[in-house]
């Protein structure tokens, strides 16, 4: 587009301002984790590493982190298996309209998390009479993770078609061999992208977790939320927050390594 | 697919059914007696009407703010930046998405705190921080969901061919007129796609509201409080049907714009 020099400059300026506003609060969290003032008065009064030491010794935070990793890993594995199976099952069938399917896939993303959360809590508690446990939590997380895996795998199927697998069958490979040697390698990067997204979503999830986890299971977001309003814990919470800000670079780096189409997949995260 | 169909839709249906049941005030147990009482309370009591309208208002405000902020960024990315800068900027927009939701809400709690940066900045002009409340809630929610608006708009603008801009300019239209008459209509489906996220996510939120909203109540808080502390699951279920119905209406309306294919 032929934009005038002035228009270009104004656009660039507006973009820079918006991006600055986006990153300023995150930078503030990082900065405050070294702020000597316990109530985080501004400007900072001095530099300290005391909060980081306290956070390192906080057992609550460490346990919560481990729980979060465990739940995210289990939910991701479950979502990978079921999401792939769903995409494969739906690949050749046209028994009900495409629109129904697309709407069904969008629904868990488009409805607020609180609806998913309370619906599942109600289904577990009131309808099925299942006690909330780590298991119900993983099932709940897997429910929204499946969508991301399904979307990624289905997009890959649509792009590549089925001719490779037909060729494999023609050459005498059984269904299992074909799946192992042809389908799986074909899906590899789509599965990795889906797994990355699922893991990230589950790790960060708090709303559905609140509704489907028992009191004894504390994920990291639940721990943060629980300690957020305690003045004594504020510095530790801030350090944990700072660590999470720094860690958020990791999936972006991995996604970049996974090539371009992952960026698009990350866009449809929820 | 079966999982989604059975587990998810089943749970949703069960939720609607529960909304029609009642609760024994004495024992706190859910009783399976059919009644419309919950919906009568929801529609009849002033507070819940106010909260519903406030929630819709907040969600709409967040969507509009996000659209206004996202448009220049998306336009810059799609039409003014070099390919290299474009890639960098996509990452710059995506990175905050991976930062924890809680951390971002928490960051704004720090910003709005008494004695925090905004308070100091306000003192320069003889003002203080607006504190925790409705404005802080809208700002925080708009901040949280901004990338969900930038990315669809960016994708949409990428698809607008440059030749259209030139044609419009050749026919004598200025930049403003071109944006209004040529780009805006073409970009509408992308805006709708983004708004599904910003609107729905704002509508269901109760955590950010708790963190920066002070005493402000949204629909999500009502659902949460009734399902947890008050332990009136049927009523919470009835309240939760409000966002479901609103979203379904919205999705049906926007289906015609072709926005759903862009998700």
């Amino acid at each position: 587009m032929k934009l005038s020099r002035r228009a270009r400059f104004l656009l660039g300026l507006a973009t820079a301002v918006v991006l600055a506003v986006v990153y300023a609060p995150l930078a503030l969290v990082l900065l405050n984790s070294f702020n000597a003032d316990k109530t985080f008065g501004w400007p900072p009064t001095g530099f300290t590493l005391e909060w980081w030491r306290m956070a390192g010794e906080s057992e609550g935070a460490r346990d919560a982190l481990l729980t979060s990793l465990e739940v995210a890993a289990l939910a991701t594995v479950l979502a990978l298996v079921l999401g792939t199976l769903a995409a494969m099952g739906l690949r050749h069938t046209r028994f009900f309209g495409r629109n129904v399917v697309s709407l069904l896939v969008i629904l868990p993303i488009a409805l607020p998390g609180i609806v998913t959360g309370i619906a599942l809590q109600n289904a577990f508690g009131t309808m099925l009479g299942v006690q909330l446990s780590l298991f119900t939590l993983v099932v709940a997380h897997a429910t929204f993770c499946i969508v991301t895996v399904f979307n990624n795998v289905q997009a890959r199927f649509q792009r590549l078609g089925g001719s490779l697998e037909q060729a494999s069958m023609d050459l005498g490979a059984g269904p299992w061999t074909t799946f192992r040697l042809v389908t799986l390698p074909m899906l590899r990067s789509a599965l990795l992208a889906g797994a990355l997204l699922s893991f990230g979503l589950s790790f960060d999830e708090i709303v559905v977790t609140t509704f489907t986890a028992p009191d004894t299971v504390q994920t990291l977001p639940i721990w943060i939320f629980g300690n957020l309003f305690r003045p004594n814990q504020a510095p530790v919470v801030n350090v944990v927050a700072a660590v999470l800000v720094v860690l958020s670079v990791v999936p972006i780096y991995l996604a970049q390594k996974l090539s371009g189409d992952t960026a698009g997949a990350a866009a449809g995260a929820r | 697919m079966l999982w989604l169909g059975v587990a998810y839709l089943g749970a949703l249906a069960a939720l609607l059914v529960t909304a029609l049941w009642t609760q024994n005030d004495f024992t706190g147990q859910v009783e399976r007696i059919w009644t419309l009482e919950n919906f009568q309370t929801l529609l009849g009591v002033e507070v819940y009407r106010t909260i519903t309208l406030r929630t819709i208002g907040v969600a709409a405000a967040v969507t509009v703010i996000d659209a206004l902020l996202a448009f220049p960024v998306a336009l810059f990315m799609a039409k003014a930046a070099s390919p290299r800068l474009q890639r960098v900027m996509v990452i710059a927009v995506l990175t905050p998405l991976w930062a924890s939701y809680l951390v971002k809400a928490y960051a704004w709690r720090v910003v709005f705190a008494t004695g925090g940066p905004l308070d100091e900045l306000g003192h320069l002009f003889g003002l203080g921080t607006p504190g925790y409340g409705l404005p802080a809630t809208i700002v925080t929610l708009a901040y949280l969901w901004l990338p969900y608006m930038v990315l669809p708009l960016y994708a949409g603008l990428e698809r607008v061919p440059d030749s259209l801009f030139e044609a419009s300019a050749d026919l004598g239209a200025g930049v403003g007129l071109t944006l209004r008459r040529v780009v805006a209509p073409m970009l509408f489906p992308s805006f709708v796609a983004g708004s599904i996220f910003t609107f729905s996510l704002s509508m269901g939120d109760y955590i950010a509201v708790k963190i920066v909203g002070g005493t402000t109540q949204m629909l999500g808080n009502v659902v949460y409080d009734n399902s947890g502390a008050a332990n009136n699951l049927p009523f919470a279920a009835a309240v939760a049907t409000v966002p479901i119905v609103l979203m379904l209406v919205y999705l049906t309306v926007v289906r015609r714009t072709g926005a759903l294919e862009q998700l």
Side-chain angles (χ1 to χ4, degrees), chain B residues 13-203:
Chain B
L15 184 67
L16 294 179
V17 171
T18 310
L20 295 169
W21 286 344
T22 182
Q23 185 207 22
N24 188 328
D25 287 337
F26 217 52
T27 57
Q29 291 295 315
V30 176
E31 286 187 355
R32 306 192 172 190
I33 301 167
W34 301 97
T35 170
L36 284 171
E37 198 185 322
N38 294 314
F39 287 98
Q40 276 161 3
T41 316
L42 185 62
L43 295 173
V45 179
E46 177 90 36
V47 182
Y48 296 121
R49 270 202 306 255
T50 316
I51 292 179
T52 307
L53 289 178
R54 181 189 298 140
T55 307
I56 297 173
V58 167
V62 168
T63 306
V64 170
I65 292 173
D66 275 346
L68 290 178
L69 290 178
F71 183 70
V73 178
L75 188 61
F76 180 80
M77 283 163 70
K79 296 297 172 191
S82 64
R84 198 186 132 72
L85 187 58
Q86 244 176 43
R87 264 204 308 281
V88 174
M89 289 202 44
V90 169
I91 299 175
V93 172
L94 274 178
T95 309
L97 267 187
W98 287 96
S100 163
Y101 160 93
L102 266 183
V103 168
K104 286 179 281 187
Y106 168 73
W108 280 96
R109 186 179 166 83
V110 178
V111 171
F112 276 108
T114 314
L118 202 65
D119 205 17
E120 284 297 306
L121 199 69
H123 278 318
L124 296 178
F125 308 101
L127 302 163
T129 165
Y132 305 134
L134 205 54
T137 308
I138 295 177
V139 169
T140 307
L141 288 176
Y143 174 82
L144 283 168
W145 316 135
L146 183 62
Y148 292 104
M149 188 57 98
V150 175
L151 292 166
L153 286 187
Y154 165 66
L157 276 168
E158 280 256 272
R159 279 198 296 273
V160 179
D162 288 355
S163 54
L164 274 183
F165 285 92
E166 281 161 26
S168 172
D170 286 349
L171 292 169
V175 175
L177 192 61
T178 308
L179 289 181
R180 215 169 44 243
R181 299 288 296 278
V182 180
V183 179
M186 289 187 73
L187 208 56
F188 188 68
S190 311
F191 163 71
V192 172
S195 72
I196 292 175
F197 290 113
T198 56
F199 197 83
S200 154
L201 291 169
S202 308
M203 203 158 56

Side-chain angles (χ1 to χ4, degrees), chain B residues 237-263:
Chain B
V239 179
T241 54
V242 176
I244 300 180
V245 170
L246 283 173
M247 260 349 265
L248 282 180
V249 170
Y250 191 64
L251 284 176
T252 337
V253 171
V254 302
R255 243 168 89 137
R256 301 178 180 194
T257 63
L260 298 191
E261 280 77 56
Q262 303 205 6
L263 286 174

Side-chain angles (χ1 to χ4, degrees), chain A residues 36-245:
Chain A
D37 182 3
K38 204 173 172 180
T39 57
F40 301 133
W42 192 262
T45 47
F47 177 86
T48 177
L49 286 174
E50 173 69 12
W51 312 140
W52 283 80
R53 194 189 56 75
M54 269 171 67
E57 287 170 1
S58 163
E59 254 175 51
R62 203 167 44 223
D63 289 348
L65 175 69
L66 289 177
T67 311
S68 268
L69 290 174
E70 188 186 346
V71 171
L74 288 174
T76 303
V77 171
L78 198 56
L80 274 181
V81 174
L82 292 174
T84 314
L85 285 179
M88 281 172 60
L90 219 75
R91 203 172 155 199
H92 305 292
T93 37
R94 296 266 153 161
F95 56 93
F96 58 109
R98 280 194 77 74
N99 275 333
V100 181
V101 178
S102 70
L103 199 69
L104 195 64
V105 172
I106 291 169
L107 216 52
I109 325 177
L111 286 179
I114 191 161
V115 172
T116 314
I118 193 169
L120 287 169
Q121 184 194 44
N122 182 46
F124 287 138
T126 316
M127 297 292 169
L128 303 174
V130 181
Q131 281 290 315
L132 294 181
S133 64
L134 193 72
F135 171 73
T136 56
L137 180 61
V138 170
V139 169
H141 278 205
T143 303
F144 59 80
C145 290
I146 285 176
V147 178
T148 68
V149 175
F150 176 80
N151 275 345
N152 271 306
V153 172
Q154 213 206 13
R156 179 62 51 93
F157 275 146
Q158 268 176 9
R159 219 174 55 204
L160 290 181
S163 48
L164 278 176
E165 282 145 312
Q166 277 166 15
S168 157
M169 300 283 230
D170 286 348
L171 291 169
W176 172 242
T177 315
T178 306
F179 176 78
R180 197 165 49 87
L181 293 179
V182 179
T183 314
L184 213 52
M186 192 168 104
L187 292 178
R188 206 178 66 106
S189 67
L191 286 176
L192 279 175
L196 190 63
L197 270 171
S198 294
F199 195 88
L201 280 180
S202 167
F203 190 73
D204 189 29
E205 159 60 42
I206 174 161
V207 178
V208 175
T209 315
T210 319
F211 283 99
T212 52
D215 295 336
T216 46
V217 176
Q218 249 195 348
T219 63
L220 195 57
I222 300 270
W223 182 87
I224 296 179
F225 190 61
N227 286 284
L228 205 55
F229 303 102
R230 296 184 193 160
N232 266 338
Q233 288 281 6
V236 178
V237 169
N238 201 325
V239 171
V240 174
V243 171
L244 288 180
V245 169

